[in-house]
Amino acid sequence: MAASTVSVADVLGAVADYADPETGCGALQQGQIWDVKVEGTHVSLTLGLTSYSAPLAAETRDHLADRIRGRLPQVSGVTVQAAPFSRPPKPLGDIGLTVKSVIAVGS
């Protein structure tokens, strides 16, 4: 493989530990990164963001693009498209309430 060649596997490796801004868990492992394409030295992909992360969409796209360029210097351009991502709430506690956030209030 030539030094200037970039594959989809290279891109996936570069983003493997990229954290979702809402949960801090790996976005790739949670299925939030898809449609990864490499055309020459240009990379494009889609990043799914929940409604909680939507206000950070521009910053998150830029951060992910910078991560790819930093880890794959042979990449000349990166396009990150943000898309809605639905993550159902998980059961919480012994009674299994489904919640997205818990806010502790004290007085």
Side-chain angles (χ1 to χ4, degrees):
M1 174 161 41
S4 63
T5 303
V6 178
S7 68
V8 170
D10 294 332
V11 176
L12 293 175
V15 301
D17 62 346
Y18 186 76
D20 167 51
E22 178 186 352
T23 65
C25 297
L28 183 63
Q29 291 78 12
Q30 295 188 85
Q32 291 177 251
I33 296 175
W34 65 87
D35 199 24
V36 178
K37 296 178 184 167
V38 177
E39 296 176 4
T41 59
H42 186 271
V43 171
S44 64
L45 59 85
T46 302
L47 172 65
L49 295 173
T50 63
S51 58
Y52 279 16
S53 301
L56 303 171
E59 179 182 340
T60 304
R61 283 193 319 257
D62 291 346
H63 187 251
L64 183 55
D66 289 345
R67 160 87 52 112
I68 293 168
R69 281 191 291 270
R71 293 187 174 183
L72 300 171
Q74 65 271 43
V75 169
S76 63
V78 179
T79 302
V80 177
Q81 181 71 33
F85 183 78
S86 178
R87 181 182 299 116
K90 295 181 178 181
L92 177 72
D94 294 335
I95 59 175
L97 294 174
T98 54
V99 296
K100 282 283 199 168
S101 298
V102 176
I103 300 172
V105 178
S107 58

Coordinates of all heavy atoms in Angstrom, one line a residue:
M1 N 0.8 -1.2 0.0 CA 0.0 0.0 0.0 C 0.9 1.2 0.0 O 1.8 1.3 0.8 CB -0.9 0.0 1.2 CG -1.7 1.2 1.4 SD -3.2 1.3 2.4 CE -2.9 0.4 3.8
A2 N 0.6 2.2 -0.9 CA 1.4 3.4 -0.9 C 1.1 4.3 0.3 O 0.1 4.3 0.9 CB 1.0 4.2 -2.2
A3 N 2.1 5.1 0.6 CA 2.0 6.0 1.8 C 0.9 6.9 1.7 O 0.3 7.4 2.7 CB 3.3 6.7 2.1
S4 N 0.5 7.4 0.5 CA -0.6 8.4 0.4 C -2.0 7.8 0.3 O -2.9 8.5 0.2 CB -0.3 9.2 -0.9 OG -0.3 8.4 -2.0
T5 N -2.1 6.5 0.3 CA -3.4 5.8 0.2 C -4.1 5.7 1.5 O -3.5 5.4 2.6 CB -3.2 4.4 -0.3 OG1 -2.5 4.4 -1.6 CG2 -4.5 3.7 -0.5
V6 N -5.3 6.1 1.5 CA -6.1 6.1 2.7 C -7.3 5.1 2.5 O -7.9 5.2 1.4 CB -6.7 7.5 3.1 CG1 -7.6 7.4 4.3 CG2 -5.6 8.4 3.3
S7 N -7.6 4.2 3.4 CA -8.7 3.3 3.3 C -9.8 3.6 4.3 O -9.6 4.4 5.3 CB -8.2 1.9 3.5 OG -7.9 1.7 4.8
V8 N -11.0 3.1 4.1 CA -12.1 3.2 5.0 C -11.6 2.6 6.4 O -11.9 3.2 7.4 CB -13.3 2.5 4.5 CG1 -14.4 2.4 5.6 CG2 -13.9 3.2 3.3
A9 N -10.9 1.5 6.4 CA -10.4 1.0 7.6 C -9.4 1.9 8.4 O -9.5 2.0 9.6 CB -9.6 -0.3 7.4
D10 N -8.6 2.7 7.6 CA -7.8 3.7 8.2 C -8.6 4.8 8.9 O -8.3 5.2 10.1 CB -6.9 4.4 7.2 CG -5.8 3.4 6.6 OD1 -5.4 2.5 7.3 OD2 -5.5 3.7 5.4
V11 N -9.6 5.2 8.3 CA -10.5 6.2 8.8 C -11.2 5.7 10.1 O -11.3 6.4 11.1 CB -11.6 6.7 7.8 CG1 -12.5 7.7 8.4 CG2 -10.9 7.3 6.6
L12 N -11.7 4.5 10.0 CA -12.4 3.9 11.2 C -11.4 3.8 12.3 O -11.8 4.0 13.5 CB -13.0 2.6 10.8 CG -14.2 2.6 9.8 CD1 -14.6 1.2 9.4 CD2 -15.3 3.5 10.3
G13 N -10.2 3.5 12.1 CA -9.2 3.4 13.1 C -8.9 4.7 13.7 O -8.7 4.9 14.9
A14 N -8.9 5.8 12.9 CA -8.7 7.1 13.4 C -9.8 7.7 14.3 O -9.5 8.5 15.1 CB -8.4 8.1 12.2
V15 N -11.0 7.2 14.0 CA -12.1 7.7 14.8 C -12.6 6.7 15.9 O -13.6 6.9 16.6 CB -13.3 8.1 13.9 CG1 -12.9 9.2 12.9 CG2 -13.9 6.9 13.2
A16 N -11.9 5.6 16.0 CA -12.4 4.5 16.9 C -12.6 5.0 18.3 O -13.5 4.5 19.0 CB -11.4 3.3 16.9
D17 N -11.8 5.9 18.8 CA -11.9 6.3 20.2 C -12.5 7.7 20.4 O -12.4 8.3 21.4 CB -10.5 6.3 20.9 CG -9.5 7.2 20.3 OD1 -9.7 7.6 19.2 OD2 -8.5 7.4 20.9
Y18 N -13.2 8.2 19.3 CA -13.8 9.5 19.3 C -15.0 9.4 20.2 O -15.9 8.6 20.0 CB -14.2 10.0 17.9 CG -14.7 11.4 18.0 CD1 -13.9 12.4 18.1 CD2 -16.1 11.6 17.9 CE1 -14.3 13.7 18.1 CE2 -16.6 12.9 17.9 CZ -15.7 14.0 18.1 OH -16.2 15.2 18.1
A19 N -15.1 10.3 21.2 CA -16.2 10.2 22.2 C -17.4 11.0 21.8 O -17.3 12.1 21.4 CB -15.7 10.7 23.6
D20 N -18.6 10.4 22.0 CA -19.8 11.1 21.8 C -19.9 12.2 22.9 O -19.6 12.0 24.1 CB -21.0 10.1 22.0 CG -22.3 10.8 22.2 OD1 -22.6 11.6 21.3 OD2 -23.1 10.5 23.1
P21 N -20.3 13.5 22.5 CA -20.3 14.6 23.4 C -21.3 14.4 24.5 O -21.2 15.0 25.6 CB -20.6 15.8 22.6 CG -21.0 15.3 21.3 CD -20.6 13.9 21.1
E22 N -22.4 13.6 24.3 CA -23.4 13.4 25.3 C -23.0 12.4 26.4 O -23.1 12.6 27.6 CB -24.7 13.0 24.7 CG -25.8 12.7 25.7 CD -27.1 12.2 25.2 OE1 -27.2 12.1 23.9 OE2 -27.9 11.8 26.0
T23 N -22.5 11.3 25.9 CA -22.2 10.1 26.9 C -20.8 10.0 27.2 O -20.5 9.3 28.2 CB -22.7 8.8 26.3 OG1 -22.0 8.5 25.1 CG2 -24.2 8.9 25.9
G24 N -19.9 10.4 26.4 CA -18.5 10.2 26.6 C -18.0 8.8 26.1 O -16.9 8.5 26.2
C25 N -19.0 8.0 25.6 CA -18.7 6.7 25.1 C -18.2 6.8 23.6 O -18.5 7.8 23.0 CB -19.9 5.8 25.2 SG -20.4 5.5 26.9
G26 N -17.6 5.8 23.1 CA -17.2 5.8 21.7 C -18.3 5.9 20.7 O -19.2 5.1 20.7
A27 N -18.3 7.0 19.9 CA -19.3 7.2 18.9 C -19.4 6.1 17.9 O -20.5 5.7 17.4 CB -19.1 8.6 18.2
L28 N -18.2 5.6 17.5 CA -18.2 4.5 16.5 C -18.8 3.2 17.1 O -19.7 2.6 16.4 CB -16.8 4.2 16.0 CG -16.6 3.2 15.0 CD1 -17.3 3.6 13.7 CD2 -15.1 2.9 14.7
Q29 N -18.5 2.9 18.3 CA -19.1 1.7 18.9 C -20.6 1.8 19.2 O -21.3 0.8 19.2 CB -18.3 1.4 20.3 CG -16.9 1.0 20.1 CD -16.0 2.1 19.8 OE1 -16.3 3.3 19.9 NE2 -14.7 1.8 19.4
Q30 N -21.1 3.0 19.3 CA -22.5 3.2 19.5 C -23.3 3.4 18.2 O -24.5 3.7 18.2 CB -22.7 4.5 20.4 CG -22.2 4.3 21.8 CD -22.6 5.5 22.6 OE1 -23.7 5.5 23.2 NE2 -21.8 6.5 22.7
G31 N -22.6 3.2 17.1 CA -23.3 3.3 15.8 C -23.6 4.7 15.3 O -24.4 4.9 14.5
Q32 N -22.8 5.7 15.9 CA -23.1 7.1 15.5 C -22.3 7.6 14.3 O -22.4 8.7 13.9 CB -22.8 8.0 16.7 CG -23.8 7.8 17.8 CD -23.5 8.6 19.0 OE1 -23.1 8.1 20.0 NE2 -23.6 9.9 18.9
I33 N -21.4 6.8 13.8 CA -20.6 7.1 12.7 C -20.9 6.1 11.6 O -20.7 4.9 11.8 CB -19.1 7.1 13.0 CG1 -18.8 8.2 14.0 CG2 -18.2 7.4 11.7 CD1 -17.3 8.3 14.5
W34 N -21.3 6.6 10.4 CA -21.7 5.7 9.3 C -21.4 6.4 8.0 O -21.0 7.6 8.0 CB -23.1 5.3 9.4 CG -24.2 6.3 9.3 CD1 -24.7 6.7 8.1 CD2 -24.8 7.0 10.3 NE1 -25.7 7.7 8.4 CE2 -25.8 7.9 9.7 CE3 -24.7 7.1 11.7 CZ2 -26.6 8.8 10.4 CZ3 -25.5 7.9 12.4 CH2 -26.4 8.8 11.8
D35 N -21.6 5.7 6.9 CA -21.5 6.3 5.6 C -20.1 6.8 5.3 O -19.9 7.9 4.8 CB -22.5 7.3 5.3 CG -22.7 7.6 3.8 OD1 -22.4 6.7 3.0 OD2 -23.2 8.7 3.4
V36 N -19.0 6.1 5.8 CA -17.6 6.5 5.6 C -17.2 6.2 4.2 O -17.3 5.1 3.7 CB -16.7 5.8 6.6 CG1 -15.3 6.2 6.4 CG2 -17.2 6.0 8.1
K37 N -16.7 7.3 3.5 CA -16.3 7.1 2.1 C -14.9 7.8 2.0 O -14.6 8.8 2.6 CB -17.3 7.8 1.2 CG -18.6 7.2 1.2 CD -19.5 8.0 0.2 CE -20.9 7.4 0.3 NZ -21.9 8.2 -0.3
V38 N -14.1 7.2 1.1 CA -12.8 7.7 0.8 C -12.7 7.9 -0.7 O -12.9 6.9 -1.4 CB -11.6 6.8 1.3 CG1 -10.3 7.4 0.9 CG2 -11.7 6.7 2.8
E39 N -12.5 9.1 -1.2 CA -12.3 9.3 -2.6 C -10.9 10.0 -2.8 O -10.8 11.2 -2.5 CB -13.4 10.2 -3.1 CG -14.8 9.5 -3.1 CD -15.9 10.4 -3.5 OE1 -15.7 11.5 -3.9 OE2 -17.1 9.9 -3.4
G40 N -10.0 9.2 -3.2 CA -8.6 9.8 -3.3 C -8.1 10.1 -1.9 O -7.9 9.2 -1.1
T41 N -7.8 11.4 -1.6 CA -7.4 11.8 -0.3 C -8.4 12.6 0.5 O -8.1 13.3 1.4 CB -6.1 12.6 -0.4 OG1 -6.3 13.7 -1.2 CG2 -4.9 11.8 -0.9
H42 N -9.7 12.5 0.0 CA -10.8 13.2 0.7 C -11.7 12.1 1.4 O -12.0 11.1 0.8 CB -11.7 13.9 -0.3 CG -12.7 14.8 0.3 ND1 -14.0 14.3 0.6 CD2 -12.7 16.0 0.8 CE1 -14.7 15.2 1.3 NE2 -13.9 16.3 1.4
V43 N -12.0 12.4 2.6 CA -12.8 11.6 3.5 C -14.1 12.2 3.8 O -14.2 13.5 4.0 CB -12.1 11.3 4.8 CG1 -13.0 10.5 5.8 CG2 -10.8 10.5 4.6
S44 N -15.2 11.5 3.7 CA -16.5 12.0 4.1 C -17.2 10.9 5.0 O -17.0 9.7 4.8 CB -17.4 12.4 2.9 OG -17.7 11.2 2.1
L45 N -18.0 11.4 5.9 CA -18.7 10.5 6.8 C -19.9 11.3 7.4 O -20.0 12.5 7.4 CB -17.8 9.9 7.9 CG -17.1 10.9 8.8 CD1 -17.9 11.2 10.0 CD2 -15.8 10.2 9.3
T46 N -20.8 10.5 8.0 CA -21.9 11.0 8.7 C -21.7 10.7 10.2 O -21.4 9.6 10.6 CB -23.2 10.5 8.2 OG1 -23.3 10.7 6.8 CG2 -24.4 11.1 8.9
L47 N -22.0 11.7 11.0 CA -21.9 11.6 12.5 C -23.3 11.9 13.0 O -23.9 12.9 12.9 CB -20.9 12.6 13.1 CG -20.9 12.7 14.6 CD1 -20.4 11.4 15.2 CD2 -20.0 13.9 15.0
G48 N -23.9 10.9 13.7 CA -25.2 11.0 14.3 C -25.1 11.7 15.7 O -24.3 11.3 16.5
L49 N -25.9 12.7 15.9 CA -25.9 13.4 17.2 C -27.3 13.4 17.7 O -28.3 13.6 17.0 CB -25.4 14.9 17.0 CG -24.0 15.0 16.6 CD1 -23.7 16.5 16.3 CD2 -23.0 14.5 17.6
T50 N -27.4 13.2 19.0 CA -28.7 13.3 19.7 C -29.2 14.7 19.8 O -28.4 15.6 19.6 CB -28.7 12.6 21.1 OG1 -27.8 13.4 21.9 CG2 -28.2 11.2 21.0
S51 N -30.4 14.9 20.2 CA -30.9 16.3 20.4 C -30.2 17.0 21.5 O -30.0 18.2 21.4 CB -32.4 16.3 20.7 OG -32.7 15.5 21.8
Y52 N -29.6 16.3 22.5 CA -28.8 16.9 23.5 C -27.5 17.5 22.9 O -27.1 18.5 23.4 CB -28.4 15.9 24.6 CG -29.5 15.6 25.6 CD1 -30.8 15.9 25.5 CD2 -29.2 14.9 26.8 CE1 -31.8 15.7 26.4 CE2 -30.1 14.6 27.8 CZ -31.4 15.0 27.5 OH -32.3 14.7 28.5
S53 N -27.0 16.8 22.0 CA -25.7 17.2 21.4 C -25.9 18.2 20.2 O -24.9 18.8 19.7 CB -24.9 16.0 20.9 OG -24.7 15.2 22.0
A54 N -27.1 18.3 19.7 CA -27.3 19.1 18.5 C -26.8 20.6 18.6 O -26.2 21.1 17.6 CB -28.8 19.2 18.2
P55 N -26.9 21.3 19.7 CA -26.3 22.6 19.8 C -24.8 22.7 19.6 O -24.3 23.7 19.3 CB -26.7 23.1 21.2 CG -27.9 22.3 21.6 CD -27.7 20.9 21.0
L56 N -24.1 21.5 19.8 CA -22.7 21.5 19.6 C -22.3 20.9 18.2 O -21.2 20.5 18.0 CB -22.1 20.6 20.7 CG -22.3 20.9 22.1 CD1 -21.9 19.8 23.1 CD2 -21.7 22.3 22.5
A57 N -23.3 20.8 17.3 CA -23.0 20.1 16.0 C -21.8 20.7 15.3 O -20.9 19.9 14.8 CB -24.3 20.2 15.2
A58 N -21.7 22.0 15.1 CA -20.7 22.6 14.3 C -19.3 22.3 15.0 O -18.3 21.9 14.3 CB -20.9 24.1 14.1
E59 N -19.2 22.5 16.3 CA -18.0 22.3 17.0 C -17.6 20.8 17.0 O -16.4 20.5 16.8 CB -18.2 22.7 18.5 CG -17.0 22.5 19.4 CD -17.2 23.0 20.8 OE1 -18.2 23.7 21.0 OE2 -16.5 22.5 21.7
T60 N -18.6 19.9 17.1 CA -18.3 18.5 17.1 C -17.8 18.1 15.7 O -16.9 17.3 15.6 CB -19.6 17.7 17.5 OG1 -20.0 18.2 18.8 CG2 -19.3 16.3 17.6
R61 N -18.5 18.5 14.7 CA -18.0 18.2 13.3 C -16.6 18.7 13.1 O -15.8 17.9 12.5 CB -18.9 18.9 12.3 CG -20.3 18.2 12.1 CD -21.0 18.7 10.8 NE -20.9 20.2 10.6 CZ -21.8 21.0 10.9 NH1 -23.0 20.6 11.4 NH2 -21.7 22.3 10.7
D62 N -16.3 19.9 13.5 CA -14.9 20.4 13.3 C -13.9 19.6 14.1 O -12.8 19.3 13.6 CB -14.8 21.9 13.8 CG -15.6 22.8 12.8 OD1 -16.0 22.4 11.7 OD2 -15.8 24.0 13.3
H63 N -14.2 19.2 15.3 CA -13.3 18.4 16.2 C -13.1 17.1 15.6 O -11.9 16.6 15.5 CB -13.9 18.3 17.6 CG -13.0 17.7 18.5 ND1 -13.2 16.4 19.0 CD2 -11.9 18.1 19.1 CE1 -12.2 16.1 19.8 NE2 -11.4 17.1 19.9
L64 N -14.1 16.4 15.0 CA -13.9 15.1 14.4 C -13.1 15.2 13.1 O -12.2 14.4 12.9 CB -15.3 14.5 14.1 CG -15.2 13.1 13.5 CD1 -14.4 12.1 14.4 CD2 -16.6 12.5 13.3
A65 N -13.3 16.2 12.3 CA -12.5 16.5 11.1 C -11.1 16.7 11.5 O -10.2 16.2 10.8 CB -13.1 17.6 10.3
D66 N -10.8 17.5 12.5 CA -9.4 17.8 12.9 C -8.8 16.5 13.4 O -7.6 16.3 13.2 CB -9.4 18.8 14.1 CG -9.8 20.2 13.6 OD1 -9.8 20.5 12.4 OD2 -10.1 21.1 14.4
R67 N -9.5 15.6 14.1 CA -9.0 14.4 14.6 C -8.5 13.5 13.4 O -7.5 12.9 13.4 CB -10.1 13.6 15.4 CG -9.9 12.1 15.6 CD -9.1 11.7 16.8 NE -9.5 12.3 18.0 CZ -10.1 11.7 19.0 NH1 -10.3 10.4 18.9 NH2 -10.4 12.3 20.1
I68 N -9.4 13.4 12.4 CA -9.0 12.6 11.2 C -7.8 13.2 10.5 O -6.8 12.5 10.2 CB -10.2 12.5 10.2 CG1 -11.4 11.7 10.9 CG2 -9.8 11.9 8.9 CD1 -12.7 11.8 10.1
R69 N -7.8 14.5 10.3 CA -6.6 15.1 9.6 C -5.3 15.0 10.5 O -4.2 14.7 9.9 CB -6.9 16.6 9.4 CG -7.7 16.9 8.1 CD -7.8 18.3 7.8 NE -8.5 19.1 8.8 CZ -9.8 19.4 8.7 NH1 -10.5 18.9 7.7 NH2 -10.3 20.1 9.7
G70 N -5.4 15.0 11.8 CA -4.3 14.9 12.6 C -3.7 13.5 12.7 O -2.5 13.3 12.7
R71 N -4.6 12.5 12.6 CA -4.2 11.1 12.6 C -3.8 10.5 11.2 O -3.2 9.5 11.2 CB -5.2 10.2 13.3 CG -5.3 10.6 14.8 CD -6.2 9.7 15.5 NE -6.2 10.0 17.0 CZ -6.8 9.3 17.9 NH1 -7.6 8.3 17.5 NH2 -6.8 9.7 19.1
L72 N -4.4 11.1 10.2 CA -4.1 10.7 8.8 C -3.6 11.9 8.0 O -4.4 12.5 7.3 CB -5.4 10.1 8.2 CG -6.0 8.9 8.9 CD1 -7.3 8.5 8.3 CD2 -5.1 7.7 8.9
P73 N -2.4 12.2 8.2 CA -1.9 13.5 7.5 C -2.0 13.4 6.0 O -1.9 14.5 5.3 CB -0.4 13.6 8.0 CG -0.1 12.2 8.6 CD -1.3 11.6 8.9
Q74 N -2.1 12.3 5.4 CA -2.2 12.2 3.9 C -3.6 12.6 3.4 O -3.8 12.8 2.2 CB -1.8 10.8 3.4 CG -2.7 9.7 3.9 CD -2.3 9.0 5.2 OE1 -2.0 9.7 6.2 NE2 -2.4 7.7 5.3
V75 N -4.5 12.8 4.4 CA -5.9 13.2 4.0 C -5.9 14.7 3.7 O -5.4 15.5 4.5 CB -6.9 12.9 5.1 CG1 -8.2 13.6 4.9 CG2 -7.1 11.4 5.3
S76 N -6.4 15.1 2.5 CA -6.4 16.5 2.1 C -7.7 17.2 2.5 O -7.7 18.5 2.6 CB -6.1 16.6 0.6 OG -7.2 16.0 -0.1
G77 N -8.7 16.5 2.7 CA -10.0 17.1 3.0 C -10.9 16.2 3.7 O -10.9 15.0 3.5
V78 N -11.7 16.8 4.6 CA -12.7 15.9 5.4 C -14.0 16.6 5.4 O -14.1 17.8 5.7 CB -12.2 15.7 6.9 CG1 -13.2 14.9 7.7 CG2 -10.8 15.1 6.9
T79 N -15.1 15.9 5.1 CA -16.4 16.4 5.2 C -17.2 15.6 6.3 O -17.3 14.4 6.1 CB -17.1 16.4 3.9 OG1 -16.4 17.1 2.9 CG2 -18.6 16.9 4.0
V80 N -17.6 16.2 7.3 CA -18.4 15.5 8.3 C -19.8 16.1 8.3 O -20.0 17.3 8.5 CB -17.8 15.7 9.8 CG1 -18.7 15.0 10.8 CG2 -16.4 15.1 9.8
Q81 N -20.8 15.2 8.0 CA -22.2 15.6 7.9 C -22.8 15.2 9.2 O -22.7 14.0 9.6 CB -22.9 14.9 6.7 CG -24.3 15.3 6.6 CD -24.5 16.7 6.1 OE1 -23.7 17.2 5.3 NE2 -25.6 17.3 6.6
A82 N -23.5 16.1 9.9 CA -24.2 15.7 11.1 C -25.6 15.3 10.8 O -26.3 15.8 9.8 CB -24.3 16.9 12.1
A83 N -26.1 14.3 11.5 CA -27.5 13.8 11.3 C -28.1 13.5 12.6 O -27.4 13.2 13.6 CB -27.4 12.5 10.4
P84 N -29.4 13.5 12.7 CA -30.1 13.1 13.9 C -29.8 11.7 14.3 O -29.8 10.8 13.4 CB -31.6 13.3 13.6 CG -31.6 14.2 12.4 CD -30.4 13.9 11.6
F85 N -29.6 11.4 15.6 CA -29.4 10.1 16.1 C -30.3 9.9 17.3 O -30.3 10.7 18.2 CB -27.9 9.9 16.5 CG -27.6 8.5 16.9 CD1 -27.4 7.5 16.0 CD2 -27.4 8.2 18.3 CE1 -27.0 6.2 16.4 CE2 -27.1 7.0 18.7 CZ -26.9 6.0 17.8
S86 N -31.1 8.9 17.3 CA -32.0 8.6 18.3 C -31.5 7.5 19.2 O -31.1 6.4 18.8 CB -33.4 8.1 17.8 OG -34.2 7.8 18.8
R87 N -31.4 7.8 20.5 CA -30.9 6.8 21.5 C -32.0 6.7 22.5 O -32.2 7.6 23.3 CB -29.6 7.3 22.2 CG -29.1 6.3 23.2 CD -27.8 6.8 23.9 NE -26.7 7.0 22.9 CZ -26.2 8.2 22.7 NH1 -26.6 9.3 23.3 NH2 -25.2 8.4 21.9
P88 N -32.7 5.6 22.6 CA -33.8 5.4 23.5 C -33.2 5.5 25.0 O -32.1 5.1 25.2 CB -34.4 4.1 23.2 CG -33.4 3.4 22.4 CD -32.5 4.4 21.8
P89 N -34.0 6.0 25.9 CA -33.6 6.0 27.3 C -33.4 4.6 27.9 O -34.1 3.7 27.5 CB -34.7 6.8 28.0 CG -35.9 6.7 27.1 CD -35.4 6.5 25.7
K90 N -32.5 4.5 28.8 CA -32.2 3.2 29.4 C -32.9 3.1 30.8 O -33.1 4.2 31.4 CB -30.7 3.0 29.6 CG -30.0 2.9 28.3 CD -28.5 2.7 28.6 CE -27.8 2.6 27.2 NZ -26.4 2.4 27.4
P91 N -33.3 2.0 31.2 CA -34.0 1.8 32.5 C -33.0 2.2 33.6 O -31.8 2.0 33.5 CB -34.3 0.3 32.6 CG -34.3 -0.2 31.2 CD -33.3 0.7 30.5
L92 N -33.5 2.9 34.6 CA -32.7 3.4 35.7 C -33.2 2.9 37.0 O -34.4 2.9 37.3 CB -32.7 4.9 35.7 CG -32.0 5.6 36.8 CD1 -30.5 5.5 36.6 CD2 -32.3 7.1 36.9
G93 N -32.4 2.4 37.9 CA -32.7 1.9 39.2 C -33.5 0.6 39.2 O -33.7 -0.1 38.2
D94 N -33.9 0.3 40.4 CA -34.6 -1.0 40.7 C -36.0 -1.1 40.0 O -36.4 -2.2 39.7 CB -34.7 -1.2 42.2 CG -33.4 -1.4 42.8 OD1 -32.4 -1.8 42.2 OD2 -33.3 -1.2 44.1
I95 N -36.7 0.0 39.9 CA -38.0 0.0 39.3 C -38.0 0.2 37.8 O -39.1 0.0 37.2 CB -39.0 1.0 40.0 CG1 -38.5 2.4 39.8 CG2 -39.2 0.6 41.4 CD1 -39.4 3.5 40.3
G96 N -36.9 0.4 37.2 CA -36.8 0.5 35.7 C -37.4 1.7 35.1 O -37.8 1.6 33.9
L97 N -37.4 2.8 35.7 CA -37.8 4.0 35.0 C -36.9 4.3 33.9 O -35.7 4.2 34.0 CB -37.8 5.2 36.0 CG -38.7 5.2 37.2 CD1 -38.5 6.4 38.1 CD2 -40.2 5.2 36.7
T98 N -37.4 4.8 32.8 CA -36.6 5.2 31.6 C -36.4 6.7 31.7 O -37.4 7.4 31.7 CB -37.2 4.7 30.3 OG1 -38.5 5.2 30.2 CG2 -37.2 3.2 30.2
V99 N -35.1 7.1 31.7 CA -34.8 8.5 31.8 C -33.6 8.8 30.9 O -32.8 8.0 30.6 CB -34.5 8.9 33.2 CG1 -35.7 8.7 34.1 CG2 -33.3 8.2 33.7
K100 N -33.5 10.1 30.5 CA -32.4 10.5 29.7 C -31.4 11.2 30.7 O -30.2 11.2 30.5 CB -32.8 11.5 28.6 CG -33.3 10.9 27.4 CD -32.2 10.3 26.6 CE -32.7 10.1 25.2 NZ -31.6 9.8 24.3
S101 N -31.9 11.9 31.7 CA -31.1 12.7 32.6 C -31.6 12.6 34.0 O -32.8 12.5 34.2 CB -31.0 14.2 32.2 OG -30.5 14.3 30.9
V102 N -30.8 12.7 35.0 CA -31.1 12.8 36.4 C -30.6 14.1 36.9 O -29.4 14.4 36.8 CB -30.6 11.6 37.2 CG1 -31.0 11.8 38.7 CG2 -31.2 10.3 36.6
I103 N -31.4 14.9 37.5 CA -31.0 16.2 38.1 C -31.2 16.1 39.6 O -32.4 16.0 40.0 CB -31.7 17.4 37.5 CG1 -31.4 17.4 36.0 CG2 -31.3 18.7 38.1 CD1 -32.3 18.4 35.2
A104 N -30.2 16.2 40.4 CA -30.3 16.2 41.8 C -30.6 17.6 42.3 O -29.9 18.5 42.0 CB -29.1 15.6 42.5
V105 N -31.6 17.7 43.1 CA -32.0 19.0 43.7 C -32.0 18.9 45.2 O -32.5 18.0 45.8 CB -33.4 19.4 43.2 CG1 -33.8 20.8 43.8 CG2 -33.5 19.5 41.7
G106 N -31.3 19.8 45.8 CA -31.2 19.8 47.3 C -31.6 21.2 47.8 O -31.7 22.2 47.1
S107 N -32.1 21.2 49.0 CA -32.4 22.5 49.6 C -31.9 22.6 51.0 O -31.5 21.7 51.7 CB -33.9 22.6 49.6 OG -34.6 21.6 50.4

